[in-house]
Amino acid sequence: MQPDVIIIGSGMGGATLAAALAPTGRRIVILERGERLADTPEARDPAAIFGRGYFKPKETWRDAAGAAFNPGNYACVGGNTKFYGAVLLRYRAEDFAPLRHIGGVTPGWPIAYAALEPWYSQAEALYRVRGDVAGDPTEPPHSAPYPFPPVPDEVDIVTLRQAFRAQGLRPSALPLGVDLDRWLARAPTTWDAFPCTTGAKSDAESCGLAEALRHPNVTLLTGAKVHRLLAEGRRVTGVEVDRDGAREVMTAPVVCLCAGAVMSAAQLLASANADHPNGLANRSDQVGRNFMNHNLTGLVAWNPLRRNRTVYEKTIQVNDFYLTGGPKDEPLGNIQMLGRITGPILAGETGLPLWLARHIADHSIHIMAMSEDLPDPKSRVLWRNGGVVLDWRRTNVAAHDLLVKRLARAMRKAGWPIVMSRGFPKSKPSHQCGTARMGDDPGASVVDRNLKAHDLDNLWIVDASVLPTSAAVNPSLTVAALALRAGDHIARAAA
Ligand SMILES: Cc1cc2nc3c(=O)[nH]c(=O)nc-3n(C[C@H](O)[C@H](O)[C@H](O)COP(=O)(O)OP(=O)(O)OC[C@H]3O[C@@H](n4cnc5c(N)ncnc54)[C@H](O)[C@@H]3O)c2cc1C
């Protein structure tokens, strides 16, 4: 069957785009390198996930110094969303305009918040988001309410909320895509970094893909790893794909690359040919550049006399420092609960003996500081000797350090006197974005405001790589909103 549309990747971008295009009746083939995750015991075994890296693909990337590492970047149906914390936050309206940070000024977006707002509402409906528009001082306008009320706080989080309020902070509900009863029915764990094998999380597989596959014109091919794209002049002429031990070339009038910010950039660079010597869609030399991943620090706030009775913990956020807090009023970032850290998770992540990890984890609160990483052309994904090199240069670190200090102080005041903090390692590019950024200037960006490649007439890039800024909120809902908007554009442009 000759498809009308090939979508590469079934993660947040690809699956949501498929859902958007499915009702057009076009023959859509989704090529996904991974398989569907099976419901094995490891799916809820923290020692397997955090200690043994059971679900990580056997893949090696290198850093700028040439050191090899096994990235926390998942390859399965649903992509990284299978493991995500299901926080589905909108970028704040201010994030779309240039913003002065301690580490520099962000470039702003080619579109304003208002242009993406209707698509955010649609994405929240598709991903069954549970939230509350009230209470967050930075919440942008919503044209539709959240489809479900927020996930309830556990009793120790109610106490934490009150303690934050007593300090003048304004905690609010984290918008989440999780059906709590269904999640807990499988095992009493949190959901952040645990894969979903029961459909309880609103992820790319259970929502976007499930919606797309209700249509008979949509086909998902798993174990289908794209090797490279073929292109002549301004057209992608084929997609080389490895499947069942053989390499084949598939063709379609519309090709959508949705392999994630690192792998989409890598694909474009690996597809260099005589017509496109620097890689596809790369006349601007921006492909792979501006890699961002957020500055993330996890805090374990310990009080040996206070037991943490939570199971999932991840229900509140604080945005009082999102737009302000720096020495000249610069933004510092978002604060949100981590998922519940248990003894085996802490032991797996730190190497502490299990008895000690258990004691600390069960007598502490687990929370995260997230600050914007700014676009820097030197921070980049490269394709070298057939493999990925990730040269991530962190930016805006001073703002992040200040946020961590503020949060540590707030936790001590709230009654957890010993605060330990640890930055997320570079081997976990969980909020990767920016490597094929959208913009109106073909000389300074890779895709236009509708996510079509400036240099190619039938290639769209629809994943986190197109984000021109990382903001300081989790990226998935914005990827989904952009995918719905791009789907509408593709449906009309290629009608
Ligand atoms: C542990 C963890 C927690 C997270 N928590 C949150 C959160 O709470 N909220 C949030 O908003 N975000 C969170 N994220 C980030 C979120 O998962 C990503 O932002 C989102 O998945 C990005 O969507 P994407 O379409 O760009 O890429 P992905 O969803 O990763 O999809 C890319 C897909 O392409 C496939 N692919 C790659 N290369 C090829 C190839 N050559 N051929 C065929 N297929 C290919 C991959 O297998 C994958 O399915 C988290 C991520 C992790 C890892």
Side-chain angles (χ1 to χ4, degrees), residues 165-459:
R165 278 211 199 96
Q167 298 177 32
L169 299 172
R170 289 163 291 178
S172 59
L174 261 183
L176 289 163
V178 65
D179 178 337
L180 188 61
D181 293 339
R182 203 164 159 192
W183 178 264
L184 295 178
R186 170 69 174 78
T189 72
T190 192
W191 49 85
D192 198 356
F194 283 80
C196 182
T197 51
T198 60
K201 247 193 239 187
S202 297
D203 58 33
E205 182 188 23
S206 67
C207 293
L209 194 62
E211 175 58 29
L213 291 174
R214 287 196 313 112
H215 298 257
N217 49 309
V218 182
T219 307
L220 170 70
L221 298 180
T222 62
K225 184 174 182 184
V226 171
H227 175 244
R228 64 177 179 145
L229 306 182
L230 308 175
E232 279 171 34
R234 291 191 56 89
R235 291 196 76 76
V236 173
T237 52
V239 174
E240 268 186 11
V241 53
D242 293 335
R243 200 158 67 97
D244 297 331
R247 180 161 296 167
E248 61 186 293
V249 176
M250 295 181 71
T251 59
V254 171
V255 176
C256 302
L257 182 57
C258 314
V262 171
M263 296 317 277
S264 281
Q267 283 288 320
L268 293 169
L269 294 171
S271 301
N273 63 26
D275 279 3
H276 302 270
N278 298 325
L280 300 194
N282 198 21
R283 258 192 319 157
S284 62
D285 189 29
Q286 294 302 302
V287 170
R289 294 188 185 272
N290 308 302
F291 174 86
M292 297 170 278
N293 189 41
H294 285 150
N295 293 304
L296 295 165
T297 295
L299 282 79
V300 172
W302 187 23
N303 181 342
L305 304 178
R306 220 165 148 169
R307 203 173 168 83
N308 178 342
R309 293 159 292 175
T310 64
V311 172
Y312 49 90
E313 213 175 20
K314 196 176 181 72
T315 50
I316 64 169
Q317 63 173 342
V318 176
N319 279 327
D320 291 283
F321 308 114
Y322 193 88
L323 295 168
T324 181
K328 293 186 185 149
D329 228 21
E330 300 93 336
L332 298 186
N334 163 279
I335 290 168
Q336 64 182 249
M337 303 308 298
L338 280 166
R340 172 68 152 92
I341 305 284
T342 58
I345 297 178
L346 195 60
E349 290 283 307
T350 61
L352 282 175
L354 186 57
W355 66 267
L356 180 59
R358 237 190 248 285
H359 177 78
I360 294 175
D362 291 346
H363 293 84
S364 54
I365 289 286
H366 316 101
I367 194 161
M368 173 168 84
M370 171 158 47
S371 308
E372 181 150 357
D373 191 9
L374 313 180
D376 171 359
K378 291 200 204 77
S379 180
R380 65 193 296 198
V381 172
L382 295 150
W383 185 252
R384 292 278 182 271
N385 306 318
V388 169
V389 173
L390 183 56
D391 181 2
W392 174 28
R393 314 217 177 164
R394 286 177 199 267
T395 63
N396 206 25
V397 175
H400 187 58
D401 291 347
L402 256 181
L403 183 64
V404 171
K405 263 195 199 144
R406 290 275 168 93
L407 176 55
R409 198 187 309 151
M411 292 310 296
R412 282 193 291 267
K413 261 183 154 175
W416 285 272
I418 305 158
V419 180
M420 295 166 276
S421 63
R422 191 165 162 195
F424 283 33
K426 285 194 168 181
S427 59
K428 289 189 179 173
S430 41
H431 290 181
Q432 56 184 272
C433 62
T435 51
R437 67 173 169 187
M438 68 194 280
D440 289 334
D441 177 1
S445 56
V446 178
V447 296
D448 67 17
R449 54 175 65 199
N450 297 312
L451 310 190
K452 191 188 82 60
H454 287 300
D455 301 351
L456 291 150
D457 293 331
N458 64 337
L459 177 69

Side-chain angles (χ1 to χ4, degrees), residues 8-14 31-34 72-81 83-88 192-193 224-226 258-261 263 267 314 430-431 462-465 474-477 479:
I8 301 165
S10 67
M12 197 50 139
L31 302 174
E32 168 55 54
R33 65 183 266 196
N73 184 56
Y74 298 94
C76 50
V77 173
N80 282 302
T81 69
F83 292 81
Y84 80 162
V87 174
L88 290 163
D192 198 356
K225 184 174 182 184
V226 171
C258 314
M263 296 317 277
Q267 283 288 320
K314 196 176 181 72
S430 41
H431 290 181
V462 186
D463 59 24
S465 59
N474 322 55
S476 290
L477 190 74
V479 174

Side-chain angles (χ1 to χ4, degrees), residues 88-174:
L88 290 163
L89 266 166
R90 300 179 177 208
Y91 272 34
R92 315 288 94 176
E94 293 81 356
D95 290 321
F96 291 78
L99 261 182
R100 190 173 48 83
H101 290 260
I102 295 178
V105 180
T106 49
W109 282 47
I111 57 171
Y113 172 75
L116 201 54
E117 197 289 327
W119 307 103
Y120 269 129
S121 289
Q122 285 194 28
E124 283 163 354
L126 180 61
Y127 284 89
R128 304 192 283 266
V129 183
R130 287 137 215 271
D132 180 359
V133 290
D136 178 349
T138 64
E139 191 62 47
H142 285 230
S143 57
Y146 282 112
F148 297 96
V151 175
D153 290 345
E154 290 161 287
V155 62
D156 292 322
I157 303 306
V158 172
T159 311
L160 177 64
R161 247 191 212 256
Q162 285 161 352
F164 278 156
R165 278 211 199 96
Q167 298 177 32
L169 299 172
R170 289 163 291 178
S172 59
L174 261 183

Side-chain angles (χ1 to χ4, degrees), residues 12-32:
M12 197 50 139
T16 312
L17 178 65
L21 288 175
T24 64
R26 295 211 198 133
R27 287 160 302 182
I28 299 167
V29 170
I30 305 168
L31 302 174
E32 168 55 54

